[in-house]
Amino acid sequence: MGYSLAVILDKKRLEGIKGTGLESKVTDMFGGAIQALIMDVPEEPYAKRILAEFPGARIDARNFLEEVPVAFKKAVYEEIRRLKSMGPEVLDAVFEKMAEIKELAAQEQEYLPPPEVD
Amino acid sequence: MEIKIKTPLPHGGRLVDRVVRNPELGKKMARGCPAYDIKPNLYNGMPVRNVYREIMSICYGFFSPVEGSMTQAEVERVLKERRLLSNWIFPYPLVFDISEEDYKKLGVSVGDRLLLRLKGQPFAVLDIEEIYEIDPQEIATRTFGTPENNPEVVRRAFDTKHPGYVIYLSLNRIVLAGKYTIINEPRLRPPFDRFWYPPAKSREEFKRRGWTTVINHQTRNVPHVGHEALLRNAAFTGDTKPCDGILVNCIVGAKRLGDYPDEAIVEAHEMVNLAGYVKPQRHMVTMLLWDMRYGNPLESLLHGIVRQNMGCTHHMFGRDHAAVGDYYDSYATQILWEKGIPSFGFPAPPNAVEYGLLIRPQNMAEFWYCPHCQEVTYSENCNHLDEIQRFSGSFIRSLLSEGLFPPPVIMRPEVYKVVVKWWKQFGYPFNNKKYLTEREKELEVDLAPMDI
């Protein structure tokens, strides 16, 4: 069974994929209020490994992998941009950096900088 | 035919009130008693339950007609039939458990009165009627059910990933059964103090507001727009007109890592009315001290009891009510309230059995966002199934973690600002180990010094 992983695109990230050919793969969510790149994540070996590496990660009611560390999503976005792809090679590349991501994820558990809002 | 719906009687016929409000009498009751300092139950070093919350909810009448820590026969009946020895329905065993070491140190026996201290101060007394031993593993398994014994709704065996299951696993083996009495009334700390409406007070408040029909919204979450749609639309039920009031009753207690802090939950719900999305005249936010068991249909029974005691006439139930993971059928709660779950002792719904509930269920399907309809719409209305977008708390939490301002179609900006307020306070938007550990030290209450 496959799952999905949504990488949310803010203005900066949208800018970052300009000219990569990925623009056509941007999905509008909630009537265009959110833009995202939505990747397919096969259960074996990808989803299983993500769930095993991050105890807080879960599959939500939409069959999306969620509550993964911010550092993981950031790494997925960077690899999508670098490889200009949304295929499994993105996750292969992310998994190679797993030790570093987990270190950042542990720090995230202690503190996340709050956003500035008016 | 009676068309108008009246405020229901409390479960069991009367509200339990086991709070001594005269400090001199409290001191007298506790004089000469052996004392025990209440401590949280831990699982893998993390606090998962503090019995003080049960003592508060029992003594202030939320759990009426329960009056104390259950006897062995009562626990057995609850596990077998979900009924107290008095026959009134009740879903969960509630016990005062202590370690063998503490039991030996205390040297108490049946007939003794035990003084319970909280944060170093006298808090309550327990009049010991029985002392017995439990097997926490057995209690945990029987509390939530199994696919073999409860095939109607249990989809897979419970394990240590389930936060309610580990509460029962974390129990100490010795149980002191008997009635509790609070002898030193705690003061709720801000921001919880303004949401503290024990049943007698909430019933008075309903009267003051002129509410007769009141629908309850159960929550352990900061509200997203889907939650708001649920509570507003469910409230269209009532009698000759929609419900007079919407009561939001937030669960405050030990929760799982990754949930929102309770401070953010209560204030975010309050913001729904302060920001005018539901008139404050029709919307009231309250709280229940309870370490959630996440028991889906069983939890819904407790919710029905508590909210009936608070004076509600209706209770809304959605998909995956009080659930975590896929241990139960997504609609297990609705199955219970539509036709019953015989293996849990309900051949008929809880309000159609003897000694059952008087509160009326309002079972709702789902609210989702439809870009075609351009609105949040009810799943039984909207047929644009290829276009709809379901709300997901996990998705919203991910969005928040990344520091993104959620669009108003998902979360009201005023509600988001409440989340950020508490994020700044705790350095983290959700429950992490630090928050849960610190919180268990401070608790939700303070107690005045009392010399006995």
Side-chain angles (χ1 to χ4, degrees), chain B residues 16 231 247:
Chain B
V16 166
L231 74 85
L247 184 79

Side-chain angles (χ1 to χ4, degrees), chain A:
Chain A
M1 189 177 165
Y3 303 104
S4 300
L5 180 73
V7 178
I8 307 296
L9 302 169
D10 59 9
K11 277 184 191 161
K12 199 175 156 195
R13 284 184 177 175
L14 269 170
E15 196 64 30
I17 59 165
K18 263 190 184 166
T20 60
L22 291 166
E23 295 101 315
S24 61
K25 293 182 177 162
V26 173
T27 304
D28 276 345
M29 299 176 79
F30 293 92
I34 292 175
Q35 279 81 43
L37 289 170
I38 298 178
M39 283 181 70
D40 291 331
V41 183
E43 179 154 26
E44 292 281 4
Y46 300 103
K48 270 199 171 166
R49 174 146 183 211
I50 294 167
L51 291 168
E53 297 282 3
F54 307 116
R58 65 191 71 191
I59 309 290
D60 73 4
R62 308 164 306 152
N63 254 1
F64 276 61
L65 270 161
E66 288 295 356
E67 301 194 48
V68 292
V70 175
F72 177 77
K73 282 246 178 125
K74 205 171 167 186
V76 172
Y77 169 75
E78 291 301 339
E79 289 305 326
I80 288 175
R81 197 168 71 124
R82 189 176 68 83
L83 297 168
K84 299 183 178 56
S85 160
M86 286 168 63
E89 62 276 17
V90 168
L91 290 175
D92 289 332
V94 170
F95 286 169
E96 279 175 25
K97 299 178 187 162
M98 193 51 91
E100 186 191 333
I101 293 170
K102 285 184 84 168
E103 206 171 296
L104 291 168
Q107 289 168 20
E108 265 176 45
Q109 288 299 313
E110 298 291 317
Y111 177 76
L112 269 178
E116 280 310 317
V117 292
D118 300 331

Side-chain angles (χ1 to χ4, degrees), chain B residues 19 26 107 140 187 201 216 255 265 289 292 332 352 373 430 439:
Chain B
V19 182
R187 284 190 310 270
K201 190 177 164 193
N216 184 83
K255 294 211 190 75
I265 294 170
L289 287 170
M292 247 185 98
C373 301
F430 312 115
R439 170 70 185 284

Side-chain angles (χ1 to χ4, degrees), chain B residues 29-168:
Chain B
M29 285 177 73
R31 207 156 284 151
C33 298
Y36 175 81
D37 286 297
I38 289 177
K39 44 190 107 163
N41 293 76
L42 304 176
Y43 189 78
N44 286 341
M46 291 299 296
V48 293
R49 171 209 182 219
N50 191 316
V51 72
Y52 114 84
R53 297 195 182 93
E54 287 165 33
I55 297 173
M56 289 286 281
S57 291
I58 288 170
C59 292
Y60 280 96
F62 289 94
F63 294 166
S64 301
V66 173
E67 295 191 274
S69 166
M70 295 175 181
T71 61
Q72 192 166 22
E74 191 142 65
V75 166
E76 189 55 33
R77 183 135 198 240
V78 165
L79 291 172
K80 247 186 176 167
E81 302 171 65
R82 308 291 159 173
R83 274 164 180 74
L84 303 170
L85 291 176
S86 58
N87 293 323
W88 295 99
I89 65 173
F90 201 84
Y92 291 129
L94 297 178
V95 294
F96 187 87
D97 59 307
I98 58 170
S99 68
E100 284 175 55
E101 191 190 345
D102 283 338
Y103 175 52
K104 278 180 195 156
K105 264 192 223 162
L106 281 171
V108 288
S109 50
V110 171
D112 287 346
R113 172 172 284 175
L114 181 63
L115 168 64
L116 306 176
R117 283 193 300 233
L118 188 67
K119 296 172 88 171
Q121 294 300 329
F123 164 53
V125 292
L126 167 61
D127 289 306
I128 303 171
E129 291 167 31
E130 187 186 4
I131 299 171
Y132 61 97
E133 206 170 326
I134 54 166
D135 173 356
Q137 174 76 61
E138 187 207 343
I139 298 250
T141 304
R142 291 179 67 199
T143 292
F144 294 99
T146 62
E148 296 75 30
N149 295 335
N150 312 93
E152 308 99 314
V153 291
V154 181
R155 294 290 169 257
R156 69 183 179 92
F158 281 71
D159 55 30
T160 54
K161 283 196 167 176
H162 188 277
Y165 185 79
V166 301
I167 286 180
Y168 285 97

Side-chain angles (χ1 to χ4, degrees), chain B residues 174-221:
Chain B
I174 306 292
V175 169
L176 308 181
K179 290 178 183 170
Y180 301 121
T181 310
I182 290 176
I183 56 156
N184 185 17
E185 214 182 350
R187 284 190 310 270
L188 273 287
R189 297 158 56 87
F192 301 113
D193 48 355
R194 65 181 188 274
F195 303 104
W196 179 243
Y197 282 84
K201 190 177 164 193
S202 72
R203 284 172 174 257
E204 274 173 29
E205 179 63 18
F206 292 178
K207 261 190 203 162
R208 192 189 69 77
R209 289 172 175 239
W211 291 1
T212 306
T213 48
V214 185
I215 189 162
N216 184 83
H217 177 70
Q218 147 67 26
T219 187
R220 60 174 166 107
N221 243 316

Side-chain angles (χ1 to χ4, degrees), chain B residues 382-397:
Chain B
C382 170
N383 206 26
H384 306 120
L385 303 183
D386 293 336
E387 299 173 60
I388 57 107
Q389 306 232 274
R390 300 170 89 174
F391 288 97
S392 156
S394 297
F395 172 67
I396 297 171
R397 281 192 287 271

